[in-house]
């Protein structure tokens, strides 16, 4: 095996890119880039029944959206293709025939009904279900008789007995399995399709994969692949199994868990930033030295150290993700902020699809007003609700403020000031507030809280002069007069 670092992410097009797979891809990407190695994407599409239309394109699209690039794949040809498993059947045939010839595999003619009965009998006795090996020593005549019945064989790998299968895991250290724990497993199905463990071992060897970094749920596959490597006389890559991602109840993150948004495309639809999501996912089971948590992709590549992969489950903290995305949102230029947020105002029916022709400056100013507060683009619809209602809703805290004795004096003076304005702009509104302070003697909360409460119905919110400007002179006057009575 060469010394070049070559890693792969191998999605199945059976669904869209979700957090767990995105993390697998991301850690492989960072490991390769930090070592000056190659990052390969291979499509494992042999399970035709479960493949979904557009699954392959979606996987690649959202990897790119997150900021990853690769050196070899279906769209980036290298010297080790094809990069779809469905196009490699002729390759697998060579190697399962070699295993048959060497006595490391055999044909199994058992029907599914026979296998199920065997499993049930083992379970009834309290044994762990495993294939008994009944077809292991069939004679040629017995095989011919079974084939004459119309039975098609699968091919099983002959698991050696009495073996301790040990490997040094990049994350977990030394891991061992006893070969007795495995029955002879199928490597080629009855229809000629290679199974996962066989195809992966062949592909990883032929594509010169040096390190296999994947999720913890694959660890029991490793000894099976190790046995295939050994039977074919191949060098074994270095394996690393990342710990589980768990939710806030410390349960394994699953696609059925509706408490957490699972798929990367959903984050894009909600107006999350890919660079923030990249940052967040990179910290799910890996930690840098020091306390800093905000890093660019380039910084991650510089500091990535596989020895800092965590041995403990990674907590998916929704609040932390929102906080992190907010840190990135605060630094966005206005054009990108508006591009991410405005579609959500359109979707909510707040503005028309032609807003850029009708009131672009107003929309841009409104979105910028909430830039500091937004954790993701979709929040703009709820945050800015007060700008789209004719009937103002006054919350309980605002009602308490408006019941204070100085309020009529302050609001009347402010109404008079804005009524005389030639230009209804934030700077002029700010000056009007100062004039009210001077004329009434009220200042601080006694001045600003009544004005905010009377114009927005809330005691907290964005910059007040800017908010009042965006509400518009006529709406502000109407609201002030309704409070003054």
């Amino acid at each position: 095996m060469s010394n070049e670092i070559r890693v792969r992410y191998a999605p199945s097009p059976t669904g869209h890119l979700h957090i767990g797979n995105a993390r697998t891809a991301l850690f492989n990407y960072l490991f390769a880039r930090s070592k000056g190695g190659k990052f390969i994407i291979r499509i494992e599409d042999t399970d035709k029944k479960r493949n979904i239309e557009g699954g392959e394109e979606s996987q690649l699209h959202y990897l790119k959206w997150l900021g990853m690039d690769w050196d070899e794949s279906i769209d980036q040809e290298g010297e080790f293709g094809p990069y779809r498993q469905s196009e490699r059947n002729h390759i697998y045939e060579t190697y399962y025939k070699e295993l048959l010839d060497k006595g490391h595999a055999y044909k199994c003619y058992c029907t599914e009904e026979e296998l199920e009965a065997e499993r049930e009998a083992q379970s009834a006795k309290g044994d762990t279900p495993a294939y008994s090996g009944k077809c292991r020593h069939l004679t040629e005549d017995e095989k011919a008789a079974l084939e004459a019945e119309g039975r098609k064989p699968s091919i099983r790998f002959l698991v050696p007995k009495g073996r301790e299968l040990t490997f040094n895991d990049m994350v977990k250290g030394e891991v061992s399995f006893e070969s007795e724990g495995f029955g002879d497993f199928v490597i080629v199905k009855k229809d000629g399709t290679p199974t996962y463990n066989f195809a992966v071992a062949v592909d990883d060897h032929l594509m010169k994969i040096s390190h296999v970094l994947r999720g913890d749920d694959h660890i029991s596959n490793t000894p099976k692949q190790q046995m295939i490597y050994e039977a074919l006389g191949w060098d074994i890559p270095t394996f690393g199994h990342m710990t589980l991602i768990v939710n806030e109840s410390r349960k394994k993150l699953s696609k059925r868990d509706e408490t957490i948004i699972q798929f990367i495309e959903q984050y894009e639809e909600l107006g999350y930033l890919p660079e923030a999501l990249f940052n967040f996912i990179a910290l799910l089971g890996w930690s840098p030295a020091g306390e800093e948590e905000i890093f660019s992709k380039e910084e991650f590549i510089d500091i990535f150290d596989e020895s800092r992969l965590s041995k403990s489950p990674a907590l998916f903290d929704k609040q932390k993700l929102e906080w992190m995305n907010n840190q990135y949102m605060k630094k966005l230029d206005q054009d990108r902020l508006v591009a991410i947020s405005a579609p959500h105002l359109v979707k909510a029916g707040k503005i028309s699809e032609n807003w850029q022709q009708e009131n672009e400056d107003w929309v841009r100013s409104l979105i910028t007003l909430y830039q500091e507060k937004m954790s993701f683009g979709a929040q703009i619809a709820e945050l800015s609700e007060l700008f789209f209602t004719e009937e103002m809703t006054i919350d309980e805290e605002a009602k308490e403020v408006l019941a204070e004795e100085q309020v009529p004096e302050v609001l009347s003076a402010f109404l008079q000031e804005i009524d005389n304005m030639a230009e209804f702009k934030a700077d002029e509104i700010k000056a009007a507030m100062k004039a009210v302070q001077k004329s009434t003697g009220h200042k601080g909360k006694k001045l600003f809280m009544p004005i905010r409460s009377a114009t927005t119905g809330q005691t907290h919110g964005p910059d007040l002069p800017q908010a009042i400007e965006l509400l518009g002179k006529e709406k502000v006057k109407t609201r002030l007069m309704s409070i003054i009575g």
Side-chain angles (χ1 to χ4, degrees):
M1 186 179 290
S2 75
N3 293 324
E4 183 182 34
I5 299 291
R6 288 177 58 83
V7 298
R8 49 74 171 177
Y9 167 60
S12 299
T14 54
H16 301 289
L17 184 65
H18 62 87
I19 290 291
N21 281 350
R23 183 188 69 162
T24 297
L26 184 51
F27 283 174
N28 275 284
Y29 171 80
L30 290 175
F31 181 61
R33 294 290 177 259
S34 68
K35 304 290 186 185
K38 296 287 174 60
F39 177 50
I40 294 98
I41 294 181
R42 183 175 70 229
I43 305 297
E44 298 186 346
D45 62 343
T46 54
D47 193 347
K48 295 294 184 184
K49 290 180 182 176
R50 294 182 59 226
N51 292 346
I52 64 168
E53 187 176 352
E56 185 179 284
E57 293 81 2
S58 176
Q59 288 272 343
L60 296 180
H61 172 79
Y62 282 101
L63 290 173
K64 287 178 182 174
W65 182 79
L66 281 170
M68 285 176 259
D69 61 308
W70 42 89
D71 302 288
E72 299 168 28
S73 187
I74 57 173
D75 62 347
Q76 188 79 15
E77 281 297 322
E79 58 182 298
F80 300 101
Y83 292 92
R84 284 188 189 91
Q85 281 190 338
S86 61
E87 298 170 5
R88 297 174 63 82
N89 281 337
H90 61 291
I91 298 172
Y92 305 131
E93 184 178 3
T94 300
Y95 293 101
Y96 74 68
K97 284 183 175 178
E98 182 177 337
L99 290 173
L100 286 168
D101 291 343
K102 289 180 175 179
H104 294 299
Y106 60 92
K107 292 180 179 180
C108 172
Y109 294 87
C110 294
T111 65
E112 191 52 51
E113 291 75 20
E114 290 169 338
L115 292 171
E116 181 59 32
E118 186 175 89
R119 287 191 289 267
E120 287 178 0
Q122 290 168 336
S123 296
K125 290 193 294 184
D127 296 334
T128 301
Y131 181 61
S132 64
K134 62 191 288 185
C135 290
R136 195 180 292 163
H137 303 298
L138 291 175
T139 65
E140 291 304 316
D141 287 344
E142 288 171 327
K143 292 178 188 176
L146 290 167
E147 288 181 12
E149 291 179 18
R151 297 198 186 199
K152 289 188 176 181
S154 60
I155 298 174
R156 289 183 181 271
F157 184 83
L158 180 59
V159 175
K161 300 306 175 188
R163 283 285 313 280
E164 185 176 31
L165 301 158
T166 302
F167 60 94
N168 191 34
D169 192 280
M170 291 167 66
V171 181
K172 299 175 178 297
E174 188 172 287
V175 179
S176 293
F177 290 85
E178 298 296 329
S179 64
E180 270 70 21
F182 303 96
D184 296 343
F185 55 93
V186 174
I187 58 173
V188 181
K189 298 177 186 176
K190 293 180 187 296
D191 64 0
T193 304
T195 60
Y196 171 79
N197 283 306
F198 176 61
V200 162
V202 172
D203 290 343
D204 284 347
H205 170 72
L206 296 180
M207 293 182 181
K208 299 187 183 298
I209 300 303
S210 63
H211 295 74
V212 176
L213 188 57
R214 57 192 179 187
D216 196 53
D217 51 338
H218 280 289
I219 197 161
S220 62
N221 289 322
T222 303
K224 295 179 181 180
Q225 292 164 26
Q226 184 178 348
M227 286 187 275
I228 291 169
Y229 271 91
E230 290 175 350
L232 291 166
W234 295 340
D235 291 334
I236 299 171
T238 300
F239 289 93
H241 293 87
M242 298 170 286
T243 55
L244 299 174
I245 302 174
V246 296
N247 62 20
E248 288 162 359
S249 301
R250 297 301 192 275
K251 293 181 179 177
K252 178 185 174 183
L253 198 65
S254 89
K255 295 177 186 177
R256 293 183 296 277
D257 184 351
E258 296 182 359
T259 65
I260 289 175
I261 297 168
Q262 295 285 326
F263 295 96
I264 302 301
E265 65 184 277
Q266 292 174 292
Y267 286 100
E268 183 191 32
E269 289 166 2
L270 285 169
Y272 278 81
L273 298 168
E275 57 268 41
L277 208 53
F278 185 108
N279 192 153
F280 176 77
I281 294 171
L283 298 177
L284 284 174
W286 180 85
S287 60
E291 300 298 318
E292 182 61 48
E293 293 187 295
I294 304 295
F295 298 98
S296 67
K297 177 173 72 174
E298 291 72 26
E299 287 170 331
F300 270 117
I301 291 169
D302 285 342
I303 65 174
F304 188 78
D305 177 357
E306 66 278 11
S307 70
R308 297 190 66 85
L309 286 165
S310 175
K311 292 178 172 60
S312 303
L315 174 65
F316 190 102
D317 186 335
K318 294 181 289 187
Q319 286 71 37
K320 182 176 179 179
L321 174 56
E322 286 198 15
W323 169 81
M324 187 169 284
N325 205 72
N326 174 255
Q327 302 306 301
Y328 282 84
M329 291 285 279
K330 288 176 181 178
K331 297 175 182 177
L332 280 191
D333 65 77
Q334 191 188 64
D335 287 345
R336 192 168 173 215
L337 177 72
V338 170
I340 286 170
S341 307
H344 297 285
L345 291 173
V346 174
K347 185 178 179 181
K350 308 289 188 189
I351 58 176
S352 79
E353 292 184 1
N354 298 320
W355 63 271
Q356 287 169 299
Q357 287 75 45
E358 296 170 2
N359 53 350
E360 180 177 2
D361 289 345
W362 186 85
V363 171
R364 292 175 73 90
S365 296
L366 176 70
I367 292 170
T368 304
L369 185 65
Y370 287 98
Q371 180 166 8
E372 291 290 310
K373 196 169 184 181
M374 265 193 288
S375 290
F376 51 92
Q379 285 184 327
I380 189 62
E382 183 179 349
L383 288 171
S384 63
E385 178 65 32
L386 71 94
F387 291 92
F388 299 99
T389 54
E390 291 303 319
E391 294 295 324
M392 179 176 63
T393 301
I394 302 175
D395 67 28
E396 290 304 313
E397 288 185 20
K399 286 178 182 176
E400 289 180 17
V401 169
L402 294 174
E404 294 173 4
E405 61 179 350
Q406 86 284 6
V407 169
E409 182 184 10
V410 168
L411 297 186
S412 296
F414 185 60
L415 176 60
Q416 185 175 349
E417 289 291 335
I418 64 172
D419 205 26
N420 295 328
M421 281 183 191
E423 273 198 306
F424 200 68
K425 297 292 185 185
D427 287 346
E428 299 298 322
I429 293 164
K430 190 173 183 180
M433 290 179 185
K434 287 185 178 178
V436 171
Q437 177 183 329
K438 189 174 181 180
S439 66
T440 64
H442 298 297
K443 59 184 179 179
K445 288 187 176 181
K446 293 291 185 182
L447 171 68
F448 296 111
M449 291 294 269
I451 294 174
R452 183 181 289 280
S453 298
T455 54
T456 70
Q458 303 167 0
T459 55
H460 305 284
D463 181 82
L464 185 55
Q466 290 181 13
I468 290 174
E469 177 188 331
L470 290 170
L471 281 165
K473 188 173 184 177
E474 293 310 312
K475 184 178 283 190
V476 170
K477 286 175 62 178
T478 299
R479 290 182 176 184
L480 288 170
M481 288 187 286
S482 71
I483 301 297
I484 295 167

